[in-house]
Amino acid sequence: MHGGDADRGASVGSEIFYASSAYVDALAALDPYWATFQGVSGHERETSNFAPEGVQATAALNRQMVRKLRTSSPQSDPDRVARDVLLHHLEMELAAFDAGDWQSDLNVICSPLQSFCDVFDVMATDTVEDWEAQRDRLWALPKAIGQYRSALEIGILNGQVAAQRQAIACAQQCAVRSRHFSRRSPGTDQLPASLLAEHDQAAASAGAAYSDFGEWLSTEYRTRSRTDDGVGVERYVREASKFIGMTIDPRETYYWGLEQVHDVWSDMKSVAAEIDNSLSLREVIDVLDTDPTRAVHGTQELAEFLQRHLDSMLLLMDGMHFDIDPRARHIEVRFTPSGGSPAQHYTPPSEDWTRPGRYCYPMRNHTSFPRWSELTIAHHEGVPGHHLQVTASMAASSRLSRFQRLYFNSGHGEGWAVYAERLCHDLGLLKTPEYVLGWLREQLLRAVRVVVDIGMHCGEELNIGVPFDAPAAAGAPWGADSAFAYARHYLGQGFDMRCEIDRYLGWPGQAISYTIGEREWLGARGDAQRSLGASFDLKAFHTAALGLGAMGLAQLRPEILRALISQTS
């Protein structure tokens, strides 16, 4: 159940809020995977249709909703914001559809290929009915994969194909993840033997179909894919606008990114000297990574370390810097199975709050986890990052439409999470220079992303080469290898940069959303401080800002300032 009308935001009583709720129901029916990821119940046994007719049906729904919103008359500020947020999202989705992007929707991080696996990680496994839903969805997966393949085949015919690099890497994912479907959770021995047998048969069928799809990618699709990785300035600007909700000048943003890299690198050297001034920055990092006394050991100890820290952060933040809804005063640390999503991530509570917010940590072959590099990611994905941002929207049922409570804009969300990392530093919560260095290294990664992402996709058209401060690739044209050399020069061995580079090339414009988003959040706070003067209050800023829900960055500053002035007047 989704809850009553009041819980859907209908208490505002407006046509726009009712239409938003109806849109969520219609989209969930067309895209059941999206529904599961967002916690919208009722579609757990179904699969999304990525075939041309499925994509076109979603586009038709979006066009219908755009027409309705353009003729609507907002009755209040919440109405106006709800309309503008949904309208901008739909217009970006339709621009991508009209450009035919769905015909080449294949990348290593966020395409239908990953959703086929990742959706099972967020499905409930508590009851017999839950496992029956998993079984049914597994049985349907070969058909869903076939539908997705038909869309990619249309792309081949139309000359709209993904890059060869993405095809090869995705084929490798299929080989690894094909075993992902057969896993069982603890306690499944209590289920009926017949259901377990059916589940295992369905999992074997799903795994075989996934593996066969990978073989098709590595042979037929790879030979038809394009050899160039970058998408060029025009598409890059369009893609970035979709992710961040504002239009950027790629050249200006590129050089701004270079400045950020240089500034953070300098700060890291200073903090490293506080730790041990007899060692270089890279030597200090090596000590922090290898000293067993500075690490937690084993996944159980890591889970306990992270859970204790996030629990303490919730207690610390609530009432002092945030008003946290009682339903959000818990976050679950959960390790995801090997073969699933390779990066730490956050999954939101379900609409009815029966599924908690989760900080998901991928299982790896590591047995030792350096503490200095763990806290900032926990702040980003958990508290005060995504968990507080997402749950604040979910709890605002009287002010936000149902779509707003489920919506995630990368510039807004990732920008908030990076802002939250900095907030922990500014509040003095990073108690040692080691933890400060961990935060700065994440800042460095986000700044490097801006330079590398724009360089690889737009460098040739903008006539910019790799900066001369990266000796291994200085002055070379941008490409995967030179980007790797540049990133490795600054980031060393701390990140799997080959996978990172593949991600940026397959997801143009998303990588810049972190640092640019943080810039806009800091700008919004600065605007509020200048406007309100002595009456500015940090907790009130957070309450007003998060209470507005997700939106594009172009809307962020004026809407927050409007909300704050309204509160204080």
Side-chain angles (χ1 to χ4, degrees):
M1 297 292 292
H2 302 314
D5 281 345
D7 188 50
R8 294 183 180 191
S11 58
V12 174
S14 76
E15 176 188 6
I16 291 172
F17 272 51
Y18 281 116
S20 167
S21 185
Y23 174 75
V24 168
D25 284 332
L27 182 60
L30 290 172
D31 193 351
Y33 287 167
W34 175 85
T36 298
F37 285 123
Q38 297 302 322
V40 178
S41 62
H43 301 277
E44 292 78 9
R45 296 171 186 258
E46 305 161 17
T47 57
S48 299
N49 182 359
F50 298 108
E53 61 270 19
V55 178
Q56 290 159 2
T58 300
L61 171 66
N62 290 346
R63 290 193 200 283
Q64 179 184 23
M65 191 65 190
V66 165
R67 289 193 295 270
K68 188 174 187 66
L69 291 173
R70 285 176 176 167
T71 58
S72 65
S73 299
Q75 303 300 306
S76 63
D77 257 4
D79 243 18
R80 177 186 55 79
V81 175
R83 180 200 61 186
D84 292 350
V85 167
L86 180 51
L87 187 58
H88 177 268
H89 168 75
L90 293 173
E91 287 173 342
M92 292 296 100
E93 289 293 308
L94 287 170
F97 172 81
D98 291 340
D101 292 354
W102 58 273
Q103 300 173 65
S104 57
D105 188 7
L106 177 72
N107 63 65
V108 298
I109 185 69
C110 187
S111 64
L113 180 78
Q114 289 77 34
S115 67
F116 291 137
C117 278
D118 294 346
V119 70
F120 291 96
D121 289 339
V122 297
M123 291 181 68
T125 57
D126 300 321
T127 67
V128 169
E129 290 75 17
D130 293 336
W131 282 93
E132 288 174 342
Q134 284 223 5
R135 174 203 61 197
D136 292 350
R137 192 167 255 178
L138 285 166
W139 275 127
L141 193 60
K143 179 180 178 181
I145 292 174
Q147 291 170 330
Y148 175 44
R149 174 173 163 173
S150 71
L152 296 179
E153 288 172 333
I154 292 291
I156 292 174
L157 293 175
N158 292 334
Q160 292 202 229
V161 291
Q164 189 174 98
R165 180 182 304 275
Q166 302 300 314
I168 293 170
C170 286
Q172 292 169 348
Q173 284 187 359
C174 287
V176 173
R177 291 187 171 203
S178 61
R179 300 183 292 275
H180 188 61
F181 303 103
S182 61
R183 72 195 190 286
R184 290 184 182 176
S185 302
T188 52
D189 55 343
Q190 304 299 315
L191 297 172
S194 59
L195 175 57
L196 288 178
E198 291 168 359
H199 176 275
D200 290 348
Q201 291 170 359
S205 174
Y210 203 67
S211 180
D212 289 346
F213 183 66
E215 182 65 22
W216 178 77
L217 289 176
S218 67
T219 53
E220 184 174 344
Y221 192 83
R222 180 184 61 82
T223 62
R224 307 289 188 89
S225 57
R226 55 185 173 86
T227 55
D228 55 313
D229 288 313
V231 299
V233 171
E234 181 179 353
R235 179 171 175 182
Y236 185 85
V237 170
R238 173 166 58 80
E239 294 275 7
S241 296
K242 180 178 70 174
F243 283 117
I244 66 177
M246 66 186 298
T247 301
I248 63 158
D249 178 333
R251 178 184 289 276
E252 178 183 65
T253 307
Y254 173 84
Y255 285 107
W256 175 80
L258 286 177
E259 293 176 2
Q260 299 303 302
V261 170
H262 296 157
D263 291 347
V264 177
W265 184 247
S266 177
D267 290 343
M268 289 180 69
K269 287 182 177 179
S270 298
V271 175
E274 294 180 40
I275 298 171
D276 191 331
N277 62 12
S278 69
L279 300 177
S280 69
L281 170 58
R282 289 187 174 88
E283 289 170 334
V284 168
I285 290 175
D286 185 61
V287 169
L288 297 179
D289 277 338
T290 59
D291 182 355
T293 67
R294 301 174 189 260
V296 292
H297 304 283
T299 55
Q300 182 62 35
E301 186 177 337
L302 176 63
E304 292 170 357
F305 171 75
L306 293 172
Q307 190 69 63
R308 282 196 307 270
H309 182 70
L310 289 173
D311 290 345
S312 69
M313 289 293 290
L314 280 165
L315 288 172
L316 177 66
M317 292 291 171
D318 191 20
M320 181 173 292
H321 303 297
F322 297 88
D323 286 321
I324 302 177
D325 187 275
R327 294 168 292 183
R329 290 175 188 162
H330 172 67
I331 180 173
E332 177 183 298
V333 175
R334 175 185 249 200
F335 283 84
T336 54
S338 177
S341 177
Q344 290 106 307
H345 60 279
Y346 176 76
T347 59
S350 56
E351 266 196 313
D352 60 6
W353 297 85
T354 57
R355 183 182 80 195
R358 290 169 176 159
Y359 171 30
C360 299
Y361 201 110
M363 292 289 285
R364 298 170 183 163
N365 295 324
H366 300 175
T367 57
S368 181
F369 304 88
R371 286 190 296 270
W372 78 288
S373 59
E374 293 295 341
L375 285 196
T376 291
I377 301 300
H379 296 156
H380 180 106
E381 303 294 347
V383 180
H386 288 320
H387 182 65
L388 296 194
Q389 172 240 329
V390 168
T391 56
S393 294
M394 292 183 62
S397 59
S398 64
R399 300 187 305 276
L400 301 183
S401 71
R402 191 176 175 209
F403 175 81
Q404 287 173 284
R405 303 203 304 276
L406 297 173
Y407 177 52
F408 184 87
N409 172 274
S410 188
H412 178 279
E414 300 299 353
W416 167 263
V418 178
Y419 167 88
E421 297 172 13
R422 183 183 294 273
L423 180 67
C424 291
H425 170 264
D426 293 348
L427 294 175
L429 302 179
L430 305 179
K431 299 297 187 181
T432 68
E434 288 87 347
Y435 287 139
V436 174
L437 190 63
W439 163 62
L440 286 172
R441 189 173 68 160
E442 292 299 325
Q443 288 277 312
L444 182 64
L445 170 64
R446 277 58 176 271
V448 165
R449 281 175 170 171
V450 173
V451 175
V452 167
D453 196 49
I454 295 176
M456 290 191 298
H457 287 291
C458 307
E460 185 173 353
E461 290 184 42
L462 297 179
N463 196 29
I464 50 177
V466 179
F468 286 94
D469 55 355
W478 277 110
D481 291 338
S482 55
F484 177 81
Y486 176 82
R488 180 55 61 89
H489 172 72
Y490 282 106
L491 298 167
Q493 305 291 328
F495 301 93
D496 185 350
M497 288 313 303
R498 288 294 182 191
C499 288
E500 287 279 314
I501 296 301
D502 285 351
R503 166 185 167 174
Y504 309 154
L505 287 170
W507 217 15
Q510 193 275 340
I512 68 173
S513 62
Y514 299 78
T515 299
I516 291 180
E518 182 199 27
R519 182 180 69 181
E520 294 304 307
W521 275 104
L522 291 171
R525 191 175 72 184
D527 291 347
Q529 288 171 319
R530 286 186 291 274
S531 178
L532 299 178
S535 65
F536 175 82
D537 178 77
L538 185 62
K539 178 184 171 186
F541 170 77
H542 292 153
T543 299
L546 294 184
L548 287 168
M551 61 182 61
L553 294 180
Q555 288 180 266
L556 187 67
R557 292 199 197 190
E559 294 296 351
I560 291 177
L561 192 57
R562 182 195 297 263
L564 280 169
I565 291 174
S566 175
Q567 285 183 2
T568 56
S569 60

